[in-house]
Amino acid sequence: MDETVEIRAGDGSTARIALRGAEPVSWRVDGRDYLWNGDPEHWNRSAPWLFPVVGASSGGHVQVEGRRYPMAQHGFARDLPFTLVSRREDAVSLRLSDSEATRVHFPFAFRLTIEARITPNGLAFAIEVENPGEVPLPYALGFHPAFPWPFAGGERRAGGGYAVLFEAAERPFVPEVGAGGLLVRSERPLPLDGARLDLDPDLFTEALVFLNAKSRMMRFVAPSGRTIAMRMEDFPHLAVWTKPTAPFLSLEAWTGHADWAGFEGELAERDSQRRLAPGATARHGIELAIEG
């Protein structure tokens, strides 16, 4: 098992954060773990951070000044060891910086710092992306937590009482996901009733991707009313994902997204990839909370 750091709130809530990927692998409230356990039979992760790209890259690579660099889906940060920056009983700060290993895939200087802080019934993350280099840093950032389904009664089936509630009414159409995880410029309809999506495992042949969403909060609601809420700061794109037979649901927050099928341009031209000026710092936030 990867080395982890445990943080604890005054009410006894705990979280464990792995040094590999700065990934939360446990979040216990009132004796119950609300994060997916990473069972490799279904999905061997719990809540990875996605950087410096989100989603698939066309051809499995990114292009910088005409040169191709291999790039795995969702980037490399989730698989690399972070350095411990600081630690308190209720918080830990971890950092990933560019190295020889990262420059094989991404020829840019960067610092990615993630602070996790636990509170009664909550788990919050403050994320900083810094550009210590001399050229603009093209980056995308994402958070990909998964939660048990079911987690508070009910069943994992159509009509089982589970739903995702968005903060605002969203478009009831999402882009198709094509070969290799690339987005396709055609859409499929969803049974989305304003801001409510009643969950059915058969919806998830691929991730449901809400580009430029109106909402800055999603709630995963059990029929009992127990709720896992996720609030996002500066993450314009959202996704909901599982596998048809896997007992979890993932709520995702992204600043960028997968390449469109057929894209062959430079990384800096990738749709929604951000460009951080030399010496600049970008800040993002995520808050998880148990409600109801």
Side-chain angles (χ1 to χ4, degrees):
M1 180 180 294
D2 288 324
E3 184 178 355
T4 63
V5 175
E6 183 175 274
I7 53 178
R8 180 177 295 270
D11 69 339
S13 298
T14 63
R16 285 190 296 112
I17 313 297
L19 296 187
R20 182 176 66 87
E23 179 177 1
V25 295
S26 175
W27 174 38
R28 297 186 66 84
V29 178
D30 295 331
R32 179 184 299 234
D33 203 323
Y34 284 93
L35 280 183
W36 167 245
N37 61 17
D39 182 350
E41 180 179 350
H42 299 289
W43 190 49
N44 65 347
R45 302 180 189 269
S46 296
W49 295 98
L50 318 179
F51 180 89
V53 301
V54 171
S57 298
S58 184
H61 63 260
V62 296
Q63 184 169 291
V64 179
E65 295 183 349
R67 179 178 172 182
R68 293 179 174 182
Y69 295 82
M71 182 65 72
Q73 180 165 324
H74 293 321
F76 48 70
R78 60 184 182 172
D79 294 318
L80 294 179
F82 279 56
T83 299
L84 181 65
V85 176
S86 64
R87 181 180 181 182
R88 306 191 308 267
E89 182 178 16
D90 64 347
V92 63
S93 181
L94 301 170
R95 178 174 295 152
L96 178 68
S97 300
D98 62 286
S99 64
E100 289 185 11
T102 67
R103 287 189 287 272
V104 171
H105 305 278
F106 186 67
F108 296 95
F110 69 86
R111 284 192 292 266
L112 172 63
T113 305
I114 298 172
E115 181 189 70
R117 180 174 56 86
I118 193 164
T119 62
N121 298 328
L123 183 59
F125 302 93
I127 310 101
E128 289 189 349
V129 181
E130 299 174 76
N131 181 3
E134 298 179 354
V135 298
L137 171 66
Y139 83 94
L141 175 71
F143 187 44
H144 192 331
F147 312 100
W149 178 18
F151 67 87
E155 299 180 42
R156 189 186 186 276
R157 60 174 177 83
Y162 278 83
V164 171
L165 298 183
F166 294 90
E167 181 184 29
E170 300 291 349
R171 292 185 66 246
F173 298 91
V174 292
E176 297 274 5
V177 180
L182 302 180
L183 298 184
V184 179
R185 294 190 186 277
S186 60
E187 296 183 317
R188 65 177 174 117
L190 290 180
L192 183 62
D193 183 7
R196 181 183 177 94
L197 178 66
D198 288 309
L199 292 173
D200 176 350
D202 290 340
L203 284 173
F204 295 97
T205 53
E206 295 288 352
L208 310 181
V209 178
F210 298 85
L211 299 180
N212 299 306
K214 299 175 183 177
S215 300
R216 293 298 171 261
M217 180 188 296
M218 294 187 284
R219 289 183 168 93
F220 180 23
V221 183
S224 65
R226 193 74 161 169
T227 297
I228 301 172
M230 186 164 84
R231 299 174 179 86
M232 297 79 68
E233 180 183 344
D234 199 12
F235 288 93
H237 312 299
L238 309 178
V240 182
W241 174 76
T242 186
K243 298 178 180 180
T245 60
F248 67 79
L249 185 81
S250 183
L251 304 180
E252 305 182 44
W254 306 340
T255 69
H257 55 73
D259 275 340
W260 294 101
F263 176 73
E264 296 181 354
E266 292 273 312
L267 176 61
E269 299 169 345
R270 181 170 175 162
D271 195 8
S272 82
Q273 199 82 3
R274 297 190 176 184
R275 289 170 59 86
L276 187 62
T281 299
R283 294 175 174 85
H284 307 267
I286 296 282
E287 292 184 11
L288 301 178
I290 303 300
E291 302 174 346

